[in-house]
C-alpha cells in the first residue's frame, strides 16, 4: 500500500497538470466509479474533476471519505508519514466540502446518498451533510490524537532502548572483563552507569505508557508484551537490539545489571578464612548427626548459605571450594532422604508400592546429582585451586590426597545406602505381587471366611486366587475359582475389609457343561472391575463392575474367545483395556503367541476396538500415558512391525525372558520396544512417576513361579524409561 499510494499521488499530480487540453469529465461517470468501490480509480478521477470544477462540494466530500478510509488502512508504526498525510487530506477535504456546500445546488444532494441515506419523508439537507462532516472530523481528530500519543510513546521507548544498547556496547569496549568493572574508580564510568540506568527507566516508563494507550485505543493487531531478560554473561548478553513491533519484546535488563554492579562495587571483597572453616565444620557435623538419625519425615531440605556462596564466588568464578561445599550439601540431602519414614524396612507391606517406587526414583536422582558433582570436582582438582585456600585444605582435609580420599569414600557410602533402599523395595514388591496366602478358605458350617484354618477338611472350601488388587486403606478385592463337588471350577470374587475380614463373596453360576473363572481384576473409585471367563465348547468372557456393597453395576460380553491376562480400567474415559492370550488360565507364558488387545468402551460400544500381535509373552502392567497405552510384558520372543522375530537377549526358552513395551496409539500399534539383556529378568510392576518418566520394577532371574522366600533371595530389577520408551536408567542392586 505504501508504494501504491505514493505512485498514485504522483500520477494524479502529473495527470492534473496535463489535463487542461482534454475533454470535460462528466461527474455522473465519476460518481458511478465511487459507487463501484474502486477507490484507487475513484480518487484519480475525483482529483481530475476537482481541477475541472474546483468549486464543486461533493468532489471534496468523496475525496475526504476515501482519504479517511485509507488513513485507517495505513500501518502507523511503519507508514507514519503516510498516515499523517492522509489525516491532513481528510481534514482538508472535509473542510473544503463544507465551505463549498454553501453555494451548492440542491439537485447535487443525490451525490451524498452513498453515505447519507434519505427517506421518503425527508430529503438530504445541508444540515445533514454538515452534521455528517462534523462527525467525521471529530472521528479523525480522535484517531489523530491517539495515534500521535501512541507513536510518541512507542518511538521514545524504542529510541531510549537503542541508546541503552549503544551505551552498554561502549562499556564492553572499554572493559574486557567484569572484574575490571568492579575494580574501576573512573568517575566518568560511574556516570555512564547512572545514565544507562536512567535511560532504561525511560524505556520502561514509555513502554508502559504505550501499553496503557494502545489498550484504550487499539491499533490493528498490535498488543505487545515485554519481558526482562537478565544479563548473565558479560560480553555475550546485552549486546543486541529488540524489534519493538514484535508481539513479544525481550529487553535486556540493564537496570538490574547496573544495580548488581553497584552492589558489588560497594562491598568489600575479602574472603574470610575463618568463615570458610566454620562453614565446613558445620556441614560435617550435620552429616554425622543425620547418619545417626532415626527414620523421620521432619528433616527439611538443606541449602548452603547463599550469602556465603555469593561472597566466595564474587571473584573466584567456578570456585572449587564452593563445589566441595555443594558436594557436602548434596550428601546432607541424600542422607536426609534416606531417613524418610517410607524407607523404614519395618513398615513392610503397609507402604503403597507406587509411593515406594517413586521414593526410590528420587533417591536415585539425588545420587546421580551427587555423582555428577563429585566427578566435576575431581576433574577440576588442580594444584593452583588448592593454593587459593591452601591452609584450609591442609587443616581440614590433609591436602590434595586427603580431599581425593574424602570424595571417593562418599561414593562408597552412597552405593551402600542405595543398595539398602533397593532391598527394601524388593521385599515390598514381593509382598505386593504375591497375595499373602495362595488361597482363601470358607468354613461351611460356621459360614465364616478365614485365611488360615487350623486344618483343611471336607468342611472347608479352597478358594484359589488368580488376581487381586488393593486400596490404600488395606481394603482389597480378590478373584479366582473354587473346585466344586464335581471337580469343576466355579469363579468367585471377594471383597476384603482388611487382611483378616471378608465382607462378601460372589460366585459364578455354572451349568453342567461349563467351568468359570474370575481371571483378572482392576479397581475404580467405588469398587472393582472383573473379567468372568467361562470355558465350554469355546471360551467366553464378560466384563463386570461391582461396587463395595457387592452390587453388579455393569455387565458386557466381550467378543474375544481367549483367556484374559491383564485388565486396566481407565475410569476417566470409562474404558476397559484387556490383553487376551491362550486358552489355559494357569500358565505363565502360553504356547499360543497370539496376543489380542481389546478396548471396551462402556459408554459407546461402537468405539470399542481390537488389535492383534504375535508375542510369546505375559503382560504384567498397562499404563495410560498422554494419548498412548503402554503394555508391559515379559517375553521370550515377539514379531516386530517389520515382521521380524525378535528373541529375548537371555535366550529362546520361555523362562529366559526380558521386558517388552508395546505402545498403542490412535487404535494401532505404534511400536514395540524390547529391553534386551543377556541376563534373564522379568517385570512385575510399572509405575508412572510423571508424564515423561515411568518405572519398571521386577527381578533378575528366570521367569517362573516363586514363593516369597525364593523371591526375596533374587536380585531387584529397576529401570526408568521416558514417554518415548527410551531407557534412562537400567540397573540391578548389587
Amino acid at each position: 500500500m505504501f508504494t501504491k499510494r505514493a505512485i498514485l499521488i504522483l500520477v494524479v499530480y502529473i495527470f492534473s497538470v496535463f489535463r487542461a487540453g482534454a475533454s470535460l469529465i462528466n461527474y455522473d461517470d465519476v460518481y458511478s466509479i465511487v459507487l463501484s468501490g474502486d477507490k484507487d480509480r475513484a480518487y484519480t478521477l475525483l482529483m481530475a474533476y476537482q481541477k475541472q470544477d474546483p468549486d464543486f462540494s461533493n468532489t471534496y466530500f468523496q475525496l475526504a471519505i476515501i482519504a479517511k478510509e485509507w488513513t485507517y488502512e495505513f500501518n502507523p508504526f511503519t507508514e507514519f508519514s503516510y498516515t499523517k498525510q492522509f489525516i491532513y487530506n481528510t481534514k482538508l477535504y472535509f473542510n473544503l466540502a463544507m465551505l463549498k456546500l454553501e453555494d451548492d445546488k440542491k439537485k447535487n444532494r443525490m451525490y451524498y446518498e452513498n453515505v447519507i441515506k434519505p427517506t421518503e419523508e425527508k430529503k438530504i439537507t445541508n444540515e445533514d451533510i454538515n452534521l455528517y462532516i462534523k462527525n467525521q472530523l471529530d472521528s479523525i481528530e480522535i484517531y489523530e490524537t491517539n495515534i500521535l500519543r501512541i507513536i510518541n510513546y512507542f518511538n521514545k521507548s524504542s529510541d531510549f532502548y537503542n541508546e541503552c544498547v549503544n551505551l552498554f556496547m561502549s562499556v564492553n569496549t572499554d572493559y574486557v572483563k567484569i572484574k575490571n568493572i568492579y575494580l574501576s574508580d573512573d568517575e566518568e564510568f560511574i556516570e555512564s552507569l547512572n545514565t544507562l540506568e536512567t535511560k532504561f527507566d525511560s524505556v520502561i516508563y514509555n513502554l508502559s505508557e504505550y501499553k496503557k494507550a494502545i489498550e484504550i485505543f487499539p491499533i490493528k493487531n498490535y498488543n505487545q508484551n515485554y519481558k526482562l531478560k537478565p544479563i548473565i554473561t558479560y560480553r555475550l548478553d546485552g549486546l543486541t537490539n529488540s524489534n519493538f513491533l514484535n508481539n513479544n519484546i525481550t529487553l535486556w535488563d540493564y537496570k538490574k545489571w547496573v544495580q548488581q554492579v553497584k552492589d558489588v562495587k560497594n562491598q568489600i571483597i575479602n574472603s574470610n578464612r575463618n568463615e570458610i572453616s566454620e562453614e565446613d565444620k558445620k556441614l560435617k557435623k550435620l552429616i554425622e548427626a543425620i547418619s545417626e538419625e532415626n527414620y523421620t519425615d521432619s528433616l527439611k531440605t538443606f541449602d548452603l548459605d547463599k550469602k556465603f556462596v555469593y561472597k566466595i564466588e564474587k571473584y573466584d568464578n567456578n570456585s572449587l571450594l564452593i563445589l566441595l561445599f555443594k558436594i557436602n550439601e548434596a550428601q546432607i540431602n541424600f542422607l536426609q532422604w534416606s531417613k524418610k519414614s517410607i524407607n523404614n524396612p519395618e513398615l513392610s507391606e503397609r507402604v503403597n508400592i507406587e509411593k515406594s517406587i517413586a521414593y526410590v526414583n528420587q533417591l536415585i536422582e539425588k545420587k546421580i546429582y551427587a555423582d555428577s558433582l563429585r566427578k566435576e570436582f575431581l576433574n577440576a582438582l588442580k594444584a593452583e585451586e588448592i593454593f587459593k585456600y591452601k591452609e584450609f585444605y591442609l587443616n581440614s582435609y590433609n591436602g590434595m590426597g586427603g580431599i581425593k580420599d574424602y570424595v571417593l569414600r562418599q561414593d562408597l557410602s552412597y552405593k551402600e545406602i542405595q543398595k539398602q533402599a533397593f532391598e527394601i523395595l524388593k521385599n515390598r514388591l514381593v509382598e505386593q505381587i504375591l497375595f499373602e496366602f495362595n488361597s482363601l478358605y470358607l468354613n461351611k458350617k460356621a459360614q465364616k471366611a478365614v485365611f488360615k484354618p487350623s486344618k483343611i477338611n471336607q468342611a472347608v472350601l479352597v478358594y484359589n486366587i488368580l488376581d487381586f488388587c488393593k486400596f490404600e486403606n488395606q481394603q482389597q478385592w480378590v478373584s479366582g475359582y473354587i473346585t466344586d463337588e464335581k471337580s469343576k471350577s466355579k469363579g468367585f470374587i471377594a471383597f476384603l475389609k482388611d487382611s483378616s475380614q471378608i465382607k462378601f463373596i460372589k460366585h459364578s453360576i455354572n451349568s453342567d457343561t461349563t467351568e468359570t473363572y474370575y481371571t483378572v481384576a482392576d479397581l475404580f473409585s467405588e469398587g472393582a472391575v472383573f473379567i468372568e471367563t467361562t470355558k465350554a465348547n469355546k471360551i467366553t468372557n464378560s466384563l463386570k463392575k461391582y461396587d463395595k456393597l457387592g452390587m453388579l453395576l455393569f455387565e458386557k460380553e466381550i467378543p474375544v474367545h481367549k483367556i484374559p491376562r491383564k485388565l486396566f480400567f481407565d475410569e476417566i474415559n470409562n474404558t476397559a483395556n484387556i490383553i487376551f492370550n491362550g486358552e489355559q488360565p494357569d500358565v505363565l507364558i502360553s504356547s499360543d503367541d497370539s496376543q489380542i488387545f481389546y478396548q471396551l468402551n462402556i459408554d459407546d460400544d461402537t468405539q470399542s476396538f481390537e488389535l492383534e500381535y504375535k508375542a510369546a509373552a505375559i503382560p504384567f502392567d498397562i499404563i495410560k500415558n498422554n494419548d498412548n497405552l503402554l503394555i508391559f510384558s515379559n517375553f521370550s520372543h515377539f514379531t516386530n512391525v517389520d515382521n521380524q522375530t525378535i528373541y529375548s537377549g537371555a535366550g529362546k526358552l520361555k523362562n529366559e525372558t526380558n521386558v517388552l513395551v508395546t505402545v498403542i496409539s490412535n487404535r494401532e500399534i505404534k511400536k514395540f520396544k524390547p529391553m534386551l539383556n543377556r541376563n534373564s529378568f522379568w517385570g512385575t510392576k510399572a509405575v508412572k512417576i510423571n508424564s515423561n518418566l515411568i518405572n519398571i520394577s521386577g527381578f533378575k532371574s528366570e521367569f517362573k513361579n516363586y514363593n516369597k522366600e525364593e523371591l526375596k533371595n533374587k536380585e531387584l530389577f529397576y529401570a526408568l524409561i521416558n514417554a518415548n520408551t527410551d531407557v534412562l536408567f537400567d540397573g540391578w542392586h548389587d
Side-chain angles (χ1 to χ4, degrees):
M1 182 173 167
F2 175 98
T3 305
K4 183 177 180 182
R5 298 289 179 254
I7 293 174
L8 177 61
I9 293 168
L10 181 60
V11 169
V12 169
Y13 173 74
I14 296 171
F15 177 80
S16 66
V17 172
F18 295 100
R19 183 70 184 171
S23 59
L24 294 177
I25 302 172
N26 187 322
Y27 193 73
D28 286 338
D29 295 334
V30 176
Y31 188 67
S32 67
I33 299 301
V34 170
L35 295 178
S36 74
D38 187 344
K39 297 176 187 176
D40 291 351
R41 190 176 172 203
Y43 200 86
T44 303
L45 291 173
L46 287 166
M47 289 293 291
Y49 191 84
Q50 186 271 338
K51 294 297 180 182
Q52 176 180 306
D53 185 359
D55 295 321
F56 187 48
S57 173
N58 193 259
T59 304
Y60 300 109
F61 183 82
Q62 301 297 344
L63 282 169
I65 290 173
I66 295 174
K68 186 170 183 284
E69 291 177 357
W70 280 350
T71 298
Y72 294 148
E73 291 179 12
F74 283 113
N75 185 334
F77 291 98
T78 58
E79 301 171 306
F80 186 57
S81 61
Y82 290 95
T83 301
K84 290 195 298 181
Q85 178 64 51
F86 277 87
I87 288 174
Y88 172 80
N89 288 354
T90 301
K91 294 196 288 188
L92 173 65
Y93 292 142
F94 271 133
N95 281 305
L96 285 171
M98 283 197 298
L99 180 63
K100 302 295 183 181
L101 185 63
E102 297 175 3
D103 301 323
D104 206 5
K105 297 176 181 178
K106 288 185 178 181
K107 67 177 183 179
N108 294 330
R109 299 296 180 269
M110 60 178 288
Y111 297 123
Y112 294 89
E113 292 180 2
N114 61 318
V115 292
I116 304 173
K117 303 300 181 184
T119 64
E120 293 182 1
E121 296 79 14
K122 185 178 183 300
K123 295 183 178 180
I124 298 173
T125 65
N126 280 10
E127 289 76 14
D128 295 331
I129 298 169
N130 283 325
L131 178 61
Y132 179 85
I133 291 174
K134 184 179 182 304
N135 290 337
Q136 295 301 305
L137 286 171
D138 289 344
S139 172
I140 200 69
E141 191 70 37
I142 292 171
Y143 184 75
E144 181 181 26
T145 300
N146 282 280
I147 286 295
L148 291 176
R149 183 167 178 262
I150 288 169
I151 296 301
N152 178 56
Y153 284 130
F154 177 82
N155 288 339
K156 280 187 175 181
S157 63
S158 178
D159 292 343
F160 275 121
Y161 189 72
N162 289 335
E163 291 178 23
C164 288
V165 174
N166 292 333
L167 185 54
F168 188 71
M169 291 177 69
S170 178
V171 171
N172 277 254
T173 301
D174 295 337
Y175 295 91
V176 177
K177 294 182 179 180
I178 190 69
K179 291 180 181 179
N180 297 340
I181 290 178
Y182 295 153
L183 295 171
S184 174
D185 291 327
D186 186 351
E187 292 295 332
E188 290 185 5
F189 172 69
I190 300 299
E191 186 59 33
S192 68
L193 288 182
N194 293 333
T195 302
L196 178 58
E197 187 174 8
T198 301
K199 288 184 180 296
F200 191 73
D201 284 340
S202 297
V203 173
I204 300 303
Y205 170 77
N206 283 283
L207 203 51
S208 299
E209 292 301 309
Y210 162 76
K211 283 282 292 176
K212 293 177 186 176
I214 204 167
E215 285 177 5
I216 296 172
F217 195 85
I219 300 176
K220 295 187 180 294
N221 293 322
Y222 287 100
N223 186 24
Q224 297 97 319
N225 292 304
Y226 72 89
K227 67 176 181 178
L228 300 182
K229 186 174 183 180
I231 298 172
I232 298 173
T233 306
Y234 182 67
R235 293 184 64 79
L236 288 179
D237 296 341
L239 302 176
T240 53
N241 286 296
S242 292
N243 186 347
F244 278 52
L245 290 176
N246 288 340
N247 285 333
N248 296 304
I249 307 169
T250 300
L251 303 177
W252 294 110
D253 195 345
Y254 295 112
K255 182 181 179 70
K256 185 175 181 181
W257 180 82
V258 170
Q259 291 173 344
Q260 289 172 341
V261 168
K262 288 181 177 180
D263 288 344
V264 173
K265 290 178 67 64
N266 293 332
Q267 293 176 8
I268 299 173
I269 303 168
N270 183 21
S271 297
N272 190 315
R273 306 295 178 180
N274 291 331
E275 186 177 353
I276 293 172
S277 180
E278 289 303 314
E279 189 71 16
D280 181 69
K281 289 177 183 178
K282 182 182 77 173
L283 295 182
K284 288 179 178 176
K285 286 182 180 179
L286 191 53
I287 290 171
E288 184 178 354
I290 297 171
S291 298
E292 302 298 325
E293 182 67 72
N294 293 323
Y295 292 100
T296 176
D297 293 325
S298 63
L299 300 175
K300 305 298 182 183
T301 300
F302 176 79
D303 293 313
L304 286 174
D305 186 334
K306 292 181 180 179
K307 292 182 179 179
F308 170 77
V309 173
Y310 179 68
K311 184 175 182 179
I312 299 301
E313 290 187 334
K314 284 179 183 177
Y315 285 97
D316 190 10
N317 294 328
N318 300 317
S319 172
L320 184 73
L321 179 71
I322 293 301
L323 192 53
L324 172 62
F325 278 62
K326 286 183 177 179
I327 286 173
N328 287 333
E329 174 192 54
Q331 186 178 18
I332 290 169
N333 288 321
F334 181 82
L335 288 171
Q336 287 183 344
W337 195 256
S338 74
K339 293 295 182 177
K340 290 282 186 182
S341 59
I342 195 172
N343 200 38
N344 186 346
E346 295 181 2
L347 292 180
S348 187
E349 72 279 356
R350 287 178 292 171
V351 178
N352 176 278
I353 192 64
E354 285 83 2
K355 291 182 179 179
S356 191
I357 288 172
Y359 163 81
V360 171
N361 174 63
Q362 292 188 55
L363 187 75
I364 291 172
E365 288 181 354
K366 292 180 184 297
K367 181 179 180 299
I368 291 173
Y369 171 68
D371 290 347
S372 69
L373 290 178
R374 290 196 303 275
K375 182 179 179 181
E376 183 182 354
F377 181 86
L378 293 173
N379 288 336
L381 188 59
K382 302 288 189 301
E384 55 267 28
E385 292 292 331
I386 296 295
F387 287 146
K388 290 181 182 179
Y389 309 97
K390 182 178 179 181
E391 185 177 348
F392 165 74
Y393 283 120
L394 283 173
N395 293 337
S396 300
Y397 291 93
N398 200 25
M400 183 177 286
I403 196 69
K404 284 183 179 179
D405 182 62
Y406 176 79
V407 172
L408 292 173
R409 279 188 284 109
Q410 272 196 353
D411 181 57
L412 296 176
S413 172
Y414 277 85
K415 288 181 178 178
E416 182 59 31
I417 291 172
Q418 179 176 277
K419 178 180 178 181
Q420 292 170 3
F422 276 161
E423 186 69 19
I424 293 168
L425 174 61
K426 181 191 71 174
N427 292 335
R428 287 175 181 161
L429 203 60
V430 171
E431 297 291 340
Q432 293 286 333
I433 66 169
L434 294 179
F435 197 71
E436 187 169 0
F437 306 99
N438 291 331
S439 305
L440 294 175
Y441 304 94
L442 180 65
N443 188 308
K444 290 191 289 185
K445 182 177 180 181
Q447 287 298 302
K448 181 180 179 182
V450 296
F451 282 109
K452 289 183 177 180
S454 57
K455 62 180 180 178
I456 298 175
N457 53 43
Q458 292 183 353
V460 174
L461 285 177
V462 180
Y463 284 72
N464 302 288
I465 297 170
L466 293 178
D467 202 0
F468 68 96
C469 42
K470 296 183 180 181
F471 288 99
E472 286 194 33
N473 59 6
Q474 300 303 307
Q475 293 180 342
Q476 48 196 314
W477 293 82
V478 294
S479 61
Y481 64 96
I482 61 173
T483 303
D484 62 15
E485 296 82 357
K486 298 180 181 180
S487 298
K488 287 191 174 184
S489 298
K490 178 187 291 188
F492 81 92
I493 62 166
F495 180 58
L496 287 64
K497 289 184 178 180
D498 53 38
S499 60
S500 62
Q501 297 183 54
I502 300 176
K503 187 172 182 179
F504 61 79
I505 294 181
K506 297 280 185 179
H507 298 92
S508 300
I509 300 175
N510 285 11
S511 69
D512 292 337
T513 60
T514 62
E515 292 186 289
T516 56
Y517 308 83
Y518 275 97
T519 44
V520 289
D522 197 16
L523 298 173
F524 70 98
S525 57
E526 300 301 324
V529 183
F530 301 91
I531 303 291
E532 182 185 49
T533 301
T534 302
K535 294 185 69 177
N537 294 330
K538 67 176 181 178
I539 296 172
T540 58
N541 293 288
S542 293
L543 182 131
K544 297 186 176 184
K545 285 181 69 176
Y546 287 91
D547 65 16
K548 294 179 182 179
L549 299 177
M551 296 293 295
L552 180 63
L553 304 178
F554 177 83
E555 180 177 4
K556 174 73 175 178
E557 185 173 335
I558 299 171
V560 180
H561 306 295
K562 291 181 181 291
I563 298 294
R565 302 298 180 182
K566 191 65 184 178
L567 165 64
F568 163 63
F569 185 71
D570 182 355
E571 190 168 2
I572 294 176
N573 296 301
N574 207 19
T575 59
N577 302 274
I578 314 130
I579 302 294
F580 296 87
N581 168 249
E583 298 182 355
Q584 298 299 323
D586 54 354
V587 296
L588 289 177
I589 295 182
S590 171
S591 57
D592 179 3
D593 64 355
S594 174
Q595 303 279 334
I596 296 176
F597 170 82
Y598 190 84
Q599 183 179 93
L600 173 64
N601 189 309
I602 292 177
D603 297 325
D604 183 1
D605 194 34
T606 63
Q607 296 298 311
S608 301
F609 68 94
E610 177 182 319
L611 297 172
E612 184 175 1
Y613 59 96
K614 296 293 184 180
I618 185 75
F620 62 87
D621 228 327
I622 303 174
I623 286 179
K624 183 174 177 60
N625 190 46
N626 302 322
D627 295 327
N628 299 331
L629 277 173
L630 278 62
I631 302 169
F632 298 85
S633 306
N634 300 309
F635 82 100
S636 61
H637 67 267
F638 72 96
T639 302
N640 66 13
V641 292
D642 297 322
N643 205 30
Q644 298 172 322
T645 300
I646 307 298
Y647 287 91
S648 160
K652 296 186 177 181
L653 300 178
K654 287 186 179 181
N655 61 350
E656 295 174 332
T657 57
N658 287 169
V659 168
L660 173 67
V661 185
T662 305
V663 181
I664 295 177
S665 179
N666 295 323
R667 297 177 169 237
E668 63 180 12
I669 295 175
K670 184 177 179 181
K671 69 175 177 179
F672 297 101
K673 180 60 180 287
M675 299 176 65
L676 300 175
N677 193 284
R678 61 185 180 85
N679 298 306
S680 295
F681 68 93
W682 48 284
T684 62
K685 187 72 177 174
V687 173
K688 179 179 174 180
I689 306 296
N690 56 52
S691 61
N692 198 41
L693 189 64
I694 298 169
N695 162 263
I696 304 170
S697 297
F699 297 89
K700 181 183 176 183
S701 69
E702 293 181 345
F703 186 49
K704 62 180 184 179
N705 286 316
Y706 294 97
N707 60 38
K708 287 186 179 181
E709 293 308 314
E710 289 173 331
L711 267 184
K712 287 181 178 180
N713 290 324
K714 301 301 179 184
E715 296 184 27
L716 177 72
F717 169 73
Y718 187 98
L720 296 169
I721 64 173
N722 62 18
N724 294 322
T725 68
D726 301 318
V727 178
L728 306 177
F729 178 86
D730 186 357
W732 292 262
H733 82 279
D734 48 21

